[in-house]
Amino acid sequence: MSAFDLVIRFVYLAVAACFVLGLHLMNSPVTARRGNLLSAAAMTAALLATAVVLVHSSSVRPWSWAALAAGTALGAGTGLLLARRVRMTAMPQLVSLFNAAGGGAAALIGVHDFTRHGASLPVVLNVLIGAVTFSGSLIAAGKLQGVVPGRPILFPGARALTGALAVAMAAASALLLTGNGGFAAFAVLAVAALAFGVSMVAPIGGADMPVVISLLNAFTGTAVAMAGFALGNAVLITAGALVGASGTILTKLMADAMNRSLTAIIAGGFGTGDAPAEGPSGQGRVRSLSADDAAIQLAYATKVVVIPGYGLAAAQAQHQLHELAQLLGQRGVQVSYAVHPVAGRMPGHMNVLLAEAGVPYEQLADMDDANAAMPQTDVALVVGANDVVNPAARRAGTAVSGMPIIDADRAKSVIVIKRSMGHGYAGIDNELYTDPRTGMYFADAKQALSEITAAVKVLVG
């Protein structure tokens, strides 16, 4: 082994170590930013090392350099532009698009290797997983953006079609790996995998999108790892394995947080998120609050727990929420945030949103800790959350039965900020809204929080 090869291998080893350390740092909100920066720096080092290898190689044709430079500039520029311009509410869609890009790139590597070296296990898995991830992630992004209906898309024979596509993929893979399949079998594999990604995600409703995004992220990592095996690149193998493993673990944790099996989620048919109801159909009366009413409850409370949901993200009201919390804190009110694992539309959506507004990490509490303290809480302030605070989850026979929730109804009083009495993704009434201790503040979250903050300022002079 030459000195050049030895240096490159050491660089790749350091990059892999940085990926592992970066992932470890992301375990805590306090160190997550450093972990992200470290991982980004490691990826930059990996790209530079690969570029040096290509420069050192004499096998790269001169015209290829223009294509490589253009591809690098286009990819880096597009990623930077999207990351800087996309609003926080659209972050789940961006993550899905990144998943699609990773899966599509891995599939293209598989196509290239097949045309040059023929079929192998890494190549077959590369194309299969990459194509499923590519098309499935595009459908997920479309559902989140509203381009594709968020409701489960079902039609007679849909599951039979999905099963037939799975059989086609298995048969084409077997033919290729046994040396009995040529280009026709490879084309069947690629087309069936693309169609399977669509048929797998289309029947899944909006309620399960956080789990789907996490699952597709795991698929992307696995596809990248297979690309690493096909190319003989240790960095791709390490990075892909880390993403695949962490995505799989996160998917299991998210499914557990919803008390639903992954099989049930993939089967689809749960939750729409497209048709808000005009009012509750259940028993009980709804009590409306004014800004002054809410201000009095909050200003004279000892302990307030804020429960954020997607409505906070949709209104981009995280800064107004933080301003209100700071104002209450100056009066000696103990303010904390209870974050449900599946609140929002992607894993960690609320954590990212609150961090962007500058909410101190130590004020964030997980669901179990928040629930333990809820009976001693004077006011539970629910901002845009729905299904994750629905007491119906404790009863059998509802769409959210058994789903772990934040026990807002066990606080001494509840304020819910919501634009209407519309349903959540589960499509059922929220029993919290008709609880005698609950007051409903009907307004956009940004408007409501601004009005309540102004009322608190007037109240305290």
Side-chain angles (χ1 to χ4, degrees):
M1 182 185 298
S2 67
F4 175 81
D5 292 335
L6 188 62
V7 170
I8 293 298
R9 292 199 177 192
F10 271 124
V11 171
Y12 283 165
L13 179 61
V15 165
C18 288
F19 284 156
V20 175
L21 181 57
L23 189 61
H24 174 72
L25 290 173
M26 292 180 198
N27 282 330
S28 169
V30 178
T31 57
R33 183 178 179 86
R34 276 183 285 165
N36 200 18
L37 291 173
L38 178 61
S39 299
M43 182 58 72
T44 302
L47 288 172
L48 291 175
T50 303
V52 171
V53 170
L54 291 174
V55 170
H56 189 263
S57 173
S58 59
S59 60
V60 180
R61 297 182 178 88
W63 62 267
S64 298
W65 290 110
L68 289 170
T72 302
L74 179 62
T78 302
L80 180 62
L81 184 66
L82 288 175
R84 292 180 64 87
R85 290 193 176 183
V86 169
R87 297 179 62 185
M88 191 57 62
T89 48
M91 196 59 66
Q93 294 93 302
L94 181 62
V95 172
S96 290
L97 290 176
F98 284 163
N99 284 341
L108 289 176
I109 290 173
V111 171
H112 173 267
D113 274 21
F114 175 78
T115 58
R116 295 195 63 179
H117 309 296
S120 65
L121 182 60
V123 167
V124 170
L125 291 177
N126 221 8
V127 173
L128 193 156
I129 301 172
V132 168
T133 304
F134 175 74
S135 58
S137 296
L138 289 179
I139 296 298
K143 280 177 171 282
L144 292 168
Q145 186 65 25
V147 178
V148 179
R151 59 179 172 78
I153 301 175
L154 298 169
F155 56 89
R159 289 186 172 87
L161 173 62
T162 302
L165 291 171
V167 171
M169 290 189 298
S173 298
L175 286 173
L176 289 167
L177 293 176
T178 56
N180 296 316
F183 179 78
F186 186 79
V188 169
L189 174 65
V191 173
L194 288 170
F196 183 83
V198 175
S199 68
M200 181 186 75
V201 177
I204 301 175
D208 293 323
M209 274 303 114
V211 183
V212 173
I213 292 174
S214 180
L215 178 63
L216 290 170
N217 183 250
F219 283 3
T220 300
T222 306
V224 169
M226 291 302 105
F229 281 112
L231 296 175
N233 189 298
V235 172
L236 282 179
I237 296 172
T238 303
L242 287 172
V243 173
S246 59
T248 301
I249 293 170
L250 182 58
T251 300
K252 178 65 168 60
L253 293 174
M254 298 283 285
D256 289 345
M258 299 177 69
N259 196 40
R260 304 188 65 222
S261 68
L262 188 57
T263 303
I265 292 171
I266 297 301
F270 176 77
T272 65
D274 284 329
E278 295 299 325
S281 59
Q283 301 297 319
R285 297 182 60 185
V286 174
R287 179 169 60 92
S288 296
L289 288 181
S290 67
D292 290 336
D293 295 331
I296 291 172
Q297 284 186 248
L298 292 169
Y300 292 102
T302 301
K303 180 178 176 60
V304 173
V305 174
V306 180
I307 306 170
Y310 181 70
L312 178 72
Q316 288 288 282
Q318 62 270 26
H319 296 285
Q320 286 73 21
L321 177 60
H322 184 38
E323 181 185 1
L324 174 60
Q326 286 181 308
L327 182 60
L328 295 176
Q330 291 169 4
R331 284 186 49 79
V333 180
Q334 181 184 347
V335 180
S336 62
Y337 298 79
V339 180
H340 193 282
V342 295
R345 288 188 172 181
M346 72 174 185
H349 197 179
M350 294 300 104
N351 300 74
V352 173
L353 201 69
L354 296 173
E356 183 198 30
V359 173
Y361 296 124
E362 56 270 15
Q363 290 186 4
L364 303 183
D366 62 27
M367 183 170 59
D368 293 336
D369 292 338
N371 283 343
M374 201 61 73
Q376 291 78 46
T377 299
D378 296 300
V379 182
L381 177 60
V382 181
V383 186
N386 198 326
D387 294 332
V388 297
V389 292
N390 193 342
R394 302 193 195 105
R395 294 188 293 103
T398 71
V400 292
S401 293
M403 174 180 170
I405 62 169
I406 295 176
D407 299 329
D409 61 319
R410 290 177 176 164
K412 297 174 184 177
S413 64
V414 183
I415 297 174
V416 176
I417 295 176
K418 205 171 182 297
R419 290 200 296 182
S420 71
M421 290 293 296
H423 294 156
Y425 278 129
I428 63 173
D429 295 330
N430 193 325
E431 297 175 3
L432 179 67
Y433 300 165
T434 54
D435 189 300
R437 290 171 295 176
T438 299
M440 301 291 297
Y441 194 109
F442 293 109
D444 170 87
K446 181 179 288 188
Q447 173 190 340
L449 291 168
S450 297
E451 291 173 350
I452 294 172
T453 300
V456 171
K457 289 179 179 178
V458 171
L459 183 66
V460 301

